[in-house]
Amino acid sequence: MVSDPAYFNGEAAAIKVDHPVETLEKRRWPPSEIQKLYRRILGFPYLTKILLYVLPVGALLAIPIICGATVAKTSSVGGVRILWLFIWIEVVWISLWVSHATVIILPFLFRGLLGMFKPGWRDYGLAVRALRTPLGLLGWTLCSLATFAPIMLRNPDSRENKATLVEWQRIVQKVLAAAVVSSLVYFAESALVVLLSISYHRKQFDARIQESKKSIHFLVLLYSASRVRHPEYIAPFAEEDCIIHNSPGAINAPRGNGQESDGHQTKHIIEDVWRTGNRVGDHISAAVGEIAREFANKRGAKPNPAYSLILQVLESRRRTKALAGRIWCSLTTGSDTLRPEDLAKALHSPEEVEQCMEILDRDKNGDVGLEEMILAVDDVRKTRRSIAMSLHDVDQAIAILDGLLQVVVFVGVVLIFVAFLNRSFVTTLATTGTALLSLSFVFATTAQEVLGSCIFLFAKHPFDVGDRVDINNDQLTVTHISLLFTTFKRVSNHRTVQIPNNILNSLWVENVSRSEQMREQVSIFVSFSTSFDDIQTLQGEMRDFVQENPREFSQGADIQLLSTAELNKLELRLEICHKRNWANESVRAAQRSKFMYALVTAMRKVPVNAPGGGDAALGDKANASYSVSISSTEALYHRQNYKSEQDSKRLHPLLTEIRTDSSQTSDGASHSGVQGISQRSGGGSTSKTSEARR
């Protein structure tokens, strides 16, 4: 699978090739003759590289070996004869290319020999192929370290003198040991990145890629059957064929009085020659492929020009629409829908018919309309482009992660060499650790951001390029994914939004593109006097609307009474299920507008009134406004009478208790007043009697 977006977009490829900056650079810095020769050498087979690299240098290294074995037997370097020193150098040079040849052969062993015993090991051949450089470097350093001490100490001269490693030999051995450990660290880092890439691609893209390949396969079969029924460039699909093959101009109908000028006739002749050339080219390519296959006496896949054409058509939306229209119109037999019976005439088995209907019949109603066919084929185009762009962005993110890890590996390699060569490594490590600890406060935030972004991108991965997502009630479309950030485009105003991945790691992400059927809930506030029969009638009207539009909506529409608010209105909730998700904004807007129009029409038909509505406006002839003058005594009487009637309807009347309490209070006050009067009168008589006695 090619991850370059230009492979799926001819316009992008043209822009990439004809970019003025790249053209200027090529003109400014033309390759020299030596560079051209070097590039040609790199393109030679492996045997040629051995003849150009291994043998010349090996022959030069053999000269000191021959001299040390013949004319300069006593010559030595650092206490070691030139013969044995250059033998070890020759071994190091040969082991470099032996390791390189081994890592080239290993992928074929995993795919061929080991794959025969365990088929699952064939997949690891790709991982081994991606790890050629670390594996070759590890094998080379191991061979160099393993052969150094034996050649230096186990040669005849050293065994006679019972020689031991001298100072420079110990240093070389430590360097080789540090190189082996560094190669192991580099191999571990590369293996981690490769396994992460393989696991991620298999987890996220394998199913989508297989589904895309299956969809393209069925499109090839349907298009081939369409061409058998209706040959190309013949009415009624001549214009669609011109668009599909990207011919220089479509057929133009005669204008005016129906007569064409000589220029139009010449243009039609050129177009006919172009179409004939395309047909002849397709037949010639198929015939040549068949002859070559028979000449080689091998069984192979027959060349299929339709497959290559379909891949080219899926690069353009206009050509994709023409392809969908041609297939649908040519396979339908006197009906306005494409049925499984029509597909059975083009496909080979009932299983293929069922699988093809799963791809084309998005609303699952058993047939495919023209608009639905166009949307299905266009979804195949969008899916293919989305996979390509996602693969490209993820590969770039993995490359950035690989670069960051290689910086860490480089620091580790420096510490490894210091540890092997420095005797006071503990002191050096303490000093280095203190410095790194002081720098950790500077890079702590960056390290946390990188770690959070890696977890979000490679572990969670809630979206791909081209997906429609909702984040914090914002409707967005994913346009680019990087290691540390993701770029979105707002659905409402097409503005570009960039959000760090570590922030997205803590947010709720609703992926609309990965969702299946979407359920929508609409709140409706109606008058408090609306009857239950009116609500049931409204529900019935909406269910009839859903049954009349089975391609857009699922069966059923429910209305629930949620609340009565402040007893001045009723809150209803209408639930309806859309058969498609809302990834395509234009389709979603048209489908929802159709639903809202039907809802408004049904509410006017019942009718259902707004809160406080249902009556004529105040001051209208049907609801005139007037006033009546009455006396205050009559108004007070009617008010007290209204309060009494309302209180009598309560389960526990209040006015009766108030009257009882007031009557008891008034009786007590009267009794105390009489008693006080009697006391005062008694006192007065007593005083008068005492005065009479006096």
Side-chain angles (χ1 to χ4, degrees):
M1 188 70 182
V2 180
S3 59
D4 190 359
Y7 178 76
F8 296 88
N9 192 345
E11 298 177 357
I15 294 173
K16 184 175 181 181
V17 172
D18 299 332
H19 200 279
V21 176
E22 295 185 358
T23 306
L24 181 61
E25 291 294 332
K26 292 179 180 179
R27 293 176 181 176
R28 184 180 299 174
W29 303 103
S32 61
E33 297 297 331
I34 298 177
Q35 292 178 346
K36 293 180 180 179
L37 179 61
Y38 180 73
R39 292 175 182 175
R40 291 178 182 178
I41 292 174
L42 291 180
F44 289 166
Y46 185 71
L47 181 60
T48 307
K49 291 182 180 180
I50 292 177
L51 295 177
L52 292 176
Y53 291 130
V54 182
L55 295 182
V57 179
L60 292 176
L61 294 176
I63 295 175
I65 297 175
I66 296 173
C67 294
T70 56
V71 296
K73 294 182 179 180
T74 59
S75 299
S76 63
V77 177
V80 180
R81 287 181 58 186
I82 294 178
L83 173 64
W84 307 115
L85 179 62
F86 277 90
I87 285 177
W88 177 74
I89 296 176
E90 186 79 23
V91 170
V92 171
W93 175 251
I94 298 299
S95 63
L96 171 63
W97 294 97
V98 171
S99 302
H100 183 61
T102 304
V103 297
I104 290 177
I105 298 173
L106 278 178
F108 298 99
L109 292 177
F110 273 91
R111 293 183 181 180
L113 184 61
L114 299 179
M116 295 174 59
F117 301 98
K118 194 171 183 179
W121 286 8
R122 295 178 180 175
D123 298 336
Y124 292 97
L126 297 175
V128 176
R129 185 176 181 180
L131 295 173
R132 285 180 178 179
T133 301
L135 281 175
L137 184 61
L138 179 60
W140 181 43
T141 54
L142 280 174
C143 185
S144 301
L145 178 62
T147 57
F148 179 74
I151 293 176
M152 295 296 139
L153 299 179
R154 298 298 178 181
N155 60 74
D157 298 333
S158 299
R159 283 185 294 180
E160 289 179 1
N161 300 327
K162 296 181 180 180
T164 58
L165 294 175
V166 294
E167 184 64 24
W168 72 270
Q169 292 175 344
R170 295 192 186 95
I171 294 175
V172 172
Q173 191 175 24
K174 290 180 180 179
V175 171
L176 293 175
V180 171
V181 177
S182 301
S183 301
L184 285 172
V185 174
Y186 178 54
F187 171 75
E189 182 270 335
S190 301
L192 176 63
V193 172
V194 169
L195 292 178
L196 174 64
S197 178
I198 293 176
S199 175
Y200 178 80
H201 284 80
R202 179 182 298 176
K203 178 181 178 182
Q204 298 294 336
F205 296 105
D206 186 64
R208 297 182 63 191
I209 291 174
Q210 297 301 326
E211 187 68 23
S212 178
K213 288 183 178 179
K214 184 173 69 173
S215 302
I216 294 173
H217 170 70
F218 283 118
L219 287 179
V220 171
L221 294 179
L222 296 178
Y223 179 66
S224 300
S226 174
R227 291 197 302 181
V228 171
R229 290 191 177 184
H230 301 277
E232 294 178 334
Y233 302 108
I234 296 179
F237 304 114
E239 184 174 359
E240 285 79 2
D241 291 332
C242 290
I243 298 175
I244 291 173
H245 289 274
N246 201 16
S247 299
I251 296 178
N252 297 321
R255 298 180 181 178
N257 55 2
Q259 297 179 356
E260 293 184 349
S261 62
D262 296 337
H264 284 85
Q265 294 178 358
T266 306
K267 183 179 179 181
H268 288 331
I269 294 174
I270 295 174
E271 291 176 356
D272 293 337
V273 173
W274 179 272
R275 300 185 201 111
T276 306
N278 287 336
R279 292 196 298 269
V280 172
D282 293 341
H283 292 301
I284 290 176
S285 61
V288 170
E290 184 69 21
I291 293 173
R293 189 169 59 88
E294 292 180 356
F295 180 77
N297 196 17
K298 295 181 180 179
R299 294 188 60 186
K302 293 184 178 181
N304 191 356
Y307 181 79
S308 302
L309 179 62
I310 294 299
L311 294 183
Q312 296 176 4
V313 168
L314 292 177
E315 298 174 1
S316 171
R317 183 177 182 180
R318 179 169 175 263
R319 298 173 70 182
T320 302
K321 183 177 180 180
L323 174 66
R326 191 193 201 284
I327 293 176
W328 187 89
C329 294
S330 61
L331 296 182
T332 52
T333 55
S335 61
D336 56 350
T337 57
L338 182 64
R339 302 182 181 276
E341 298 81 20
D342 302 327
L343 295 178
K345 300 177 182 178
L347 302 178
H348 303 89
S349 63
E351 291 77 11
E352 290 185 350
V353 174
E354 183 178 357
Q355 295 177 4
C356 187
M357 286 299 296
E358 290 180 359
I359 297 173
L360 301 179
D361 188 14
R362 299 302 177 91
D363 52 16
K364 309 301 179 184
N365 60 348
D367 54 10
V368 181
L370 177 58
E371 182 180 357
E372 187 178 2
M373 181 73 178
I374 295 175
L375 290 176
V377 179
D378 192 62
D379 286 344
V380 175
R381 179 188 65 85
K382 291 180 179 179
T383 302
R384 180 176 171 81
R385 179 175 175 81
S386 174
I387 292 174
M389 298 182 66
S390 298
L391 285 171
H392 181 265
D393 290 349
V394 169
D395 289 342
Q396 285 186 342
I398 293 176
I400 295 173
L401 178 62
D402 187 19
L404 295 176
L405 293 179
Q406 285 181 0
V407 173
V408 177
V409 168
F410 176 76
V411 176
V413 167
V414 173
L415 295 178
I416 289 172
F417 274 90
V418 171
F420 275 89
L421 298 177
N422 192 359
R423 295 179 179 178
S424 58
F425 176 68
V426 177
T427 305
T428 306
L429 182 62
T431 306
T432 306
T434 304
L436 292 177
L437 183 62
S438 61
L439 291 176
S440 64
F441 295 99
V442 179
F443 299 105
T445 305
T446 303
Q448 182 180 3
E449 182 179 359
V450 172
L451 181 60
S453 300
C454 291
I455 294 175
F456 175 80
L457 182 60
F458 300 113
K460 297 182 179 179
H461 195 73
F463 46 71
D464 294 308
V465 176
D467 286 357
R468 248 282 279 120
V469 296
D470 292 342
I471 302 176
N472 289 344
N473 297 325
D474 292 331
Q475 299 178 355
L476 307 170
T477 302
V478 184
T479 57
H480 178 69
I481 299 176
S482 184
L483 179 63
L484 300 180
F485 65 90
T486 302
T487 305
F488 302 91
K489 182 176 68 176
R490 293 187 182 274
V491 176
S492 57
N493 51 22
H494 288 188
R495 291 183 178 179
T496 301
V497 182
Q498 180 175 312
I499 305 176
N501 289 336
N502 61 333
I503 295 179
L504 291 173
N505 194 23
S506 59
L507 298 178
W508 289 80
V509 179
E510 299 180 7
N511 195 318
V512 178
S513 298
R514 295 183 183 178
S515 304
E516 297 296 333
Q517 296 183 351
M518 305 289 291
R519 180 174 291 274
E520 183 179 7
Q521 298 177 348
V522 180
S523 296
I524 307 172
F525 295 93
V526 299
S527 174
F528 190 78
S529 61
T530 304
S531 64
F532 184 72
D533 294 336
D534 291 340
I535 297 176
Q536 292 293 326
T537 304
L538 178 62
Q539 181 175 350
E541 291 292 330
M542 296 309 300
R543 287 182 176 178
D544 293 340
F545 165 75
V546 169
Q547 292 179 358
E548 294 174 358
N549 299 271
R551 298 188 182 278
E552 292 86 3
F553 306 97
S554 297
Q555 298 295 328
D558 301 327
I559 296 181
Q560 301 177 8
L561 176 60
L562 294 184
S563 67
T564 57
E566 299 175 354
L567 298 181
N568 56 358
K569 59 184 177 182
L570 298 178
E571 182 181 1
L572 307 179
R573 185 172 67 185
L574 172 62
E575 293 186 358
I576 193 168
C577 186
H578 301 260
K579 284 192 173 181
R580 301 187 184 94
N581 56 33
W582 294 344
N584 193 330
E585 180 62 22
S586 59
V587 176
R588 183 206 67 82
Q591 189 169 325
R592 194 176 189 279
S593 299
K594 186 177 182 180
F595 160 66
M596 294 303 297
Y597 292 156
L599 177 60
V600 172
T601 303
M603 293 179 66
R604 291 175 177 175
K605 184 178 180 180
V606 173
V608 176
N609 300 315
D615 198 1
L618 185 63
D620 190 78
K621 294 181 179 180
N623 188 14
S625 176
Y626 56 92
S627 60
V628 179
S629 300
I630 58 176
S631 62
S632 59
T633 304
E634 187 177 359
L636 181 61
Y637 170 76
H638 287 294
R639 180 174 180 81
Q640 292 295 336
N641 189 20
Y642 174 77
K643 289 184 177 180
S644 300
E645 291 178 357
Q646 294 295 326
D647 186 69
S648 63
K649 298 178 182 179
R650 296 179 57 85
L651 183 62
H652 300 286
L654 298 177
L655 295 179
T656 305
E657 296 179 359
I658 295 174
R659 290 175 181 175
T660 303
D661 295 339
S662 61
S663 61
Q664 291 178 358
T665 303
S666 60
D667 292 342
S670 301
H671 179 72
S672 60
V674 173
Q675 186 176 2
I677 293 173
S678 62
Q679 289 178 355
R680 288 195 297 271
S681 61
S685 61
T686 303
S687 61
K688 290 180 180 181
T689 305
S690 61
E691 290 177 357
R693 290 178 180 177
R694 289 179 182 177

